[in-house]
Amino acid sequence: MLNLSTLLEHSARTYPAKTAYIFGDASFTFAQINGMANAVANGLQKLGLTRGDKVALTCVNAPYFPILYFGILKAGCIVVPLSVLLKKEEVAYHLSNSDARAYFCFVGTPELPMAKEGISGFSEVPSCEHFFVIMPQMTDASPIENTRTFGQFLSGQGHQFDTILTNGDDTAVIIYTSGTTGKPKGAELTHSNLLLNAYVSGNLFEARHEDIFLTVLPMFHIFAMTVKMNLALLKGITNVLLPRFDAEAVIRSIQKHGVTVFAGVPTMYWGLLNYQSDAFDVDNALTSLRVGVSGGASLPVQVLMDFETRFAVPVIEGYGMSEGSPVVTFNHLDKPRKAGSVGTPIWGVEVMLADSEGNPVPDGEKGELLYRGHNVMKGYYKNSEATAE
């Protein structure tokens, strides 16, 4: 018996009044986030959704994302997080392929009209029965005719809910790959996959309850989902959310809130490293940071060394993929680091470099990276051939 929503429920019981999320000028406690997630679960049950049903979610980094994510899990349903960049045809494909029964979509902006694309894709998938627009404010009206808002969905829902029992090997999330070969494939990640990967990630950079996280990586992506959102809830850590990367906004947020852990992709580190301002002392703005975490692509060694020199913050990087929940290997704070390396296997995971026949290659030779462990996905949803391959 295991449901990933235990992460939120435990922190809500243990630290009910502590701030879970800071978003702009607003803040939300763990108890508030848990109560609203309970309201989501109640609402899904009233729609007739049951254990194993899929619910799609398009949302920027805002408290609405974890509220919906964990509310879906509490109801025993499966979260299908979608990129905010998807267009009409892509939305329709993901909703249809995942068998989503409901879809919550952020309204977006004139430059990035998420709900406009979302409703267009939704309208082409009869099997997806319910569409809700997430507005910046709960009381805002939907700009799309004949659609209900997330605020209307939550209205009147109770803030108490008995979480539906699920098993550790039940699918919790279907996260779609980038589709580098053919159509994107939905990797089924279990409650156990995600819990263990969050737990081990915390050990990698010694995450602690007193930390302050900053999350600017998109939470619909598995990197931020595990290493920032799930880990922060596991440890009861306050999380500062930014919806998009802007070097000045990130630096000012780190300074204002005393952020101690930052995670980003290499382009973000490059942006921070090269940011200059006459308005404030950038070089001493990151003194609260104790560690930076890099992933998603190879961090150039020169960027790594220059960042550490300028800001006096150690940066560790590793390797992962959606199918690995995502972390597979990483450099460790408590061990010697090799700059330019993806580090060593995380706890509970074995890694091998193999030739085309699956045999280990000699030291110093190139090979295909194979891994096994608690992080390996359940399989690709409705794609047994790709799973077997």
Side-chain angles (χ1 to χ4, degrees):
M1 183 183 77
L2 178 66
N3 189 303
L4 189 66
S5 63
T6 299
L7 296 177
L8 172 58
E9 292 167 356
H10 178 75
S11 285
R13 283 193 301 268
T14 311
Y15 321 107
K18 185 181 180 183
T19 297
Y21 292 102
I22 297 171
F23 182 64
D25 295 328
S27 62
F28 302 80
T29 67
F30 286 102
Q32 288 174 322
I33 296 293
N34 189 55
M36 294 179 73
N38 285 336
V40 169
N42 280 315
L44 292 174
Q45 278 199 340
K46 289 184 179 178
L47 291 178
L49 273 68
T50 60
R51 176 177 170 176
D53 283 336
K54 289 81 176 176
V55 181
L57 172 60
T58 296
C59 190
V60 296
N61 283 5
Y64 299 136
F65 188 96
I67 287 167
L68 276 157
Y69 182 97
F70 288 99
I72 293 166
L73 294 177
K74 283 170 176 281
C77 297
I78 295 169
V79 186
V80 184
L82 302 182
S83 168
V84 300
L85 302 177
L86 297 184
K87 302 300 183 184
K88 168 186 173 181
E89 295 78 11
E90 297 167 313
V91 170
Y93 167 77
H94 286 80
L95 295 180
S96 176
N97 185 263
S98 67
D99 297 316
R101 288 192 59 195
Y103 181 29
F104 293 83
C105 183
F106 191 74
V107 64
T109 63
E111 298 76 26
L112 193 60
M114 303 171 204
K116 181 180 177 182
E117 298 290 345
I119 190 66
S120 297
F122 166 82
S123 299
E124 295 190 355
V125 185
S127 57
C128 195
E129 307 160 46
H130 310 282
F131 180 87
F132 299 94
V133 182
I134 306 169
M135 301 299 296
Q137 300 296 325
M138 287 287 191
T139 55
D140 291 347
S142 172
I144 300 175
E145 191 176 355
N146 298 321
T147 61
R148 296 175 63 195
T149 66
F150 178 46
Q152 290 171 324
F153 167 80
L154 282 186
S155 180
Q157 304 297 344
H159 282 218
Q160 300 294 324
F161 186 82
D162 289 330
T163 298
I164 301 300
L165 299 182
T166 53
N167 296 315
D169 59 358
D170 287 345
T171 301
V173 172
I174 297 176
I175 192 155
Y176 278 82
T177 63
S178 57
T180 51
T181 56
K183 292 280 191 180
K185 299 183 289 291
E188 292 190 69
L189 303 179
T190 68
H191 293 270
S192 178
N193 284 152
L194 293 166
L195 176 62
L196 282 168
N197 212 257
Y199 179 81
V200 175
S201 296
N203 292 339
L204 293 174
F205 48 91
E206 301 169 2
R208 59 202 69 160
H209 175 64
E210 298 77 18
D211 276 324
I212 306 290
F213 281 5
L214 186 145
T215 300
V216 66
L217 289 164
M219 290 195 290
F220 62 75
H221 189 276
I222 189 62
F223 184 10
M225 188 185 302
T226 292
V227 175
K228 301 310 291 288
M229 182 179 75
N230 289 342
L231 173 56
L233 291 172
L234 173 67
K235 297 284 188 177
I237 293 169
T238 299
N239 209 337
V240 180
L241 303 181
L242 291 178
R244 65 183 182 87
F245 179 79
D246 174 83
E248 180 176 344
V250 168
I251 292 170
R252 287 190 178 275
S253 292
I254 291 172
Q255 188 175 47
K256 177 180 179 180
H257 300 291
V259 171
T260 59
V261 179
F262 173 78
V265 294
T267 52
M268 293 180 181
Y269 282 95
W270 185 90
L272 295 174
L273 174 63
N274 288 280
Y275 181 76
Q276 303 288 340
S277 175
D278 295 328
F280 66 107
D281 183 3
V282 178
D283 288 352
N284 293 305
L286 307 187
T287 55
S288 63
L289 275 186
R290 65 174 185 82
V291 64
V293 181
S294 181
S298 177
L299 180 63
V301 173
Q302 194 61 52
V303 174
L304 168 70
M305 305 307 288
D306 289 349
F307 186 92
E308 292 187 338
T309 298
R310 182 181 185 190
F311 297 115
V313 178
V315 178
I316 56 173
E317 66 174 323
Y319 165 77
M321 60 194 304
S322 296
E323 294 88 340
S325 305
V327 184
V328 178
T329 66
F330 232 85
N331 283 276
H332 301 245
L333 279 178
D334 61 348
K335 297 178 182 177
R337 182 197 66 185
K338 183 176 180 180
S341 163
V342 295
T344 55
I346 64 171
W347 177 90
V349 173
E350 296 179 2
V351 168
M352 177 177 75
L353 287 184
D355 59 23
S356 58
E357 302 299 320
N359 299 311
V361 299
D363 288 350
E365 297 293 323
K366 294 182 179 180
E368 181 181 18
L369 189 149
L370 306 180
Y371 63 93
R372 65 183 179 187
H374 54 75
N375 60 340
V376 176
M377 67 170 181
K378 190 175 181 177
Y380 292 119
Y381 185 62
K382 295 194 307 187
N383 196 335
S384 57
E385 183 177 339
T387 301
E389 181 182 349

